[in-house]
Amino acid sequence: DVKVTQSSRYLVKRTGEKVFLECVQDMDHENMFWYRQDPGLGLRLIYFSYDVKMKEKGDIPEGYSVSREKKERFSLILESASTNQTSMYLCASSFGRGTHHFGPGTRLTVT
Amino acid sequence: GNSVTQMEGPVTLSEEAFLTINCTYTATGYPSLFWYVQYPGEGLQLLLKATKADDKGSNKGFEATYRKETTSFHLEKGSVQVSDSAVYFCALTLGGTSYGKLTFGQGTILTVHP
């Protein structure tokens, strides 16, 4: 079974802090994705990566950056956290255009 | 651009009732369509999918048919159970260089009472 793990289930940070969210997958998938989930808005794509060191912006990249130094790991970085980045963050991986496999999510609160 | 619209929720049903959650889409090209489900406290998991017009996806008693003429992919189940209480997301992906990234609907919260 594919396993996607995220570094924290719950995180509380202060405004202006630099925040790192880590995601690891164990199935050698080339594609990895970061989405944020907000009530009434569904999931929106922040960034995705289709290979090591390759990344593309999604629909809402402002205020975020990403890093993929190894195939199995995809990090989401909030350079200076703001309260409007309080949300649930979901990581996913896939092979080609196959099924997304999601992690359990990180609920981030910025105060 | 591409978009997915789901019926407004939340939906509350009694056990053994019939379920329909409507989903319509707008896409350039020929998308693949998905239903994902999120149980409380968990990430999303694939429920079913269809990759071309008139395909029917099915799993765990749920069904959805890819209707190109109405650009729809409505989710149905004949008899819901309490364990079906979850959030349901309709989504699409396109081919080409999309790398499989998904466009999601807003999500529909389903609560089933005994």
Side-chain angles (χ1 to χ4, degrees):
Chain A
D1 253 5
V2 175
K3 192 165 184 183
V4 179
T5 56
Q6 295 184 228
S7 50
S8 306
R9 292 298 300 269
Y10 300 93
L11 210 51
V12 180
K13 296 292 182 180
R14 294 195 179 276
T15 302
E17 278 193 83
K18 191 169 186 175
V19 181
F20 293 86
L21 303 183
E22 305 285 337
C23 175
V24 177
Q25 50 97 1
D26 66 357
M27 280 300 290
D28 205 36
H29 286 168
E30 69 261 24
N31 298 331
M32 296 188 75
F33 308 84
W34 276 107
Y35 295 89
R36 64 176 280 177
Q37 179 181 2
D38 300 288
L41 297 177
L43 277 72
R44 294 176 291 166
L45 181 63
I46 305 171
Y47 267 96
F48 68 100
S49 168
Y50 51 90
D51 202 350
V52 175
K53 296 190 187 295
M54 305 305 288
K55 61 187 179 186
E56 283 200 19
K57 294 179 180 179
D59 300 317
I60 52 164
E62 297 78 18
Y64 303 94
S65 62
V66 290
S67 172
R68 194 163 179 204
E69 297 296 318
K70 294 185 178 181
K71 192 172 186 180
E72 68 270 19
R73 187 179 298 269
F74 191 36
S75 302
L76 180 69
I77 303 154
L78 287 66
E79 296 289 342
S80 177
S82 64
T83 54
N84 63 12
Q85 293 178 310
T86 291
S87 187
M88 171 72 87
Y89 290 87
L90 291 165
C91 175
S93 71
S94 74
F95 179 73
R97 285 185 282 115
T99 301
H100 273 39
H101 295 269
F102 282 87
T106 296
R107 185 166 294 282
L108 173 67
T109 302
V110 183
T111 61
Chain B
N2 305 315
S3 66
V4 176
T5 302
Q6 290 180 232
M7 65 184 289
E8 295 294 327
V11 175
T12 302
L13 295 173
S14 297
E15 206 164 24
E16 299 183 2
F18 184 85
L19 168 70
T20 300
I21 301 177
N22 290 339
C23 171
T24 57
Y25 67 89
T26 302
T28 53
Y30 301 97
S32 294
L33 301 173
F34 304 83
W35 278 100
Y36 280 82
V37 59
Q38 184 179 35
Y39 297 105
E42 298 182 12
L44 278 70
Q45 56 186 272
L46 179 69
L47 180 59
L48 53 85
K49 68 179 181 181
T51 57
K52 62 183 189 297
D54 300 323
D55 268 2
K56 177 186 282 188
S58 62
N59 187 26
K60 300 182 180 180
F62 290 89
E63 292 183 341
T65 301
Y66 188 143
R67 301 284 188 203
K68 186 181 171 189
E69 64 275 14
T70 54
T71 62
S72 65
F73 193 54
H74 304 321
L75 183 68
E76 296 183 337
K77 187 175 186 182
S79 176
V80 293
Q81 305 300 311
V82 172
S83 56
D84 293 327
S85 298
V87 185
Y88 292 82
F89 292 93
C90 186
L92 68 81
T93 190
L94 292 172
T97 57
S98 72
Y99 299 104
K101 57 183 176 178
L102 292 168
T103 299
F104 285 89
Q106 310 93 305
T108 301
I109 300 172
L110 171 67
T111 303
V112 181
H113 292 298

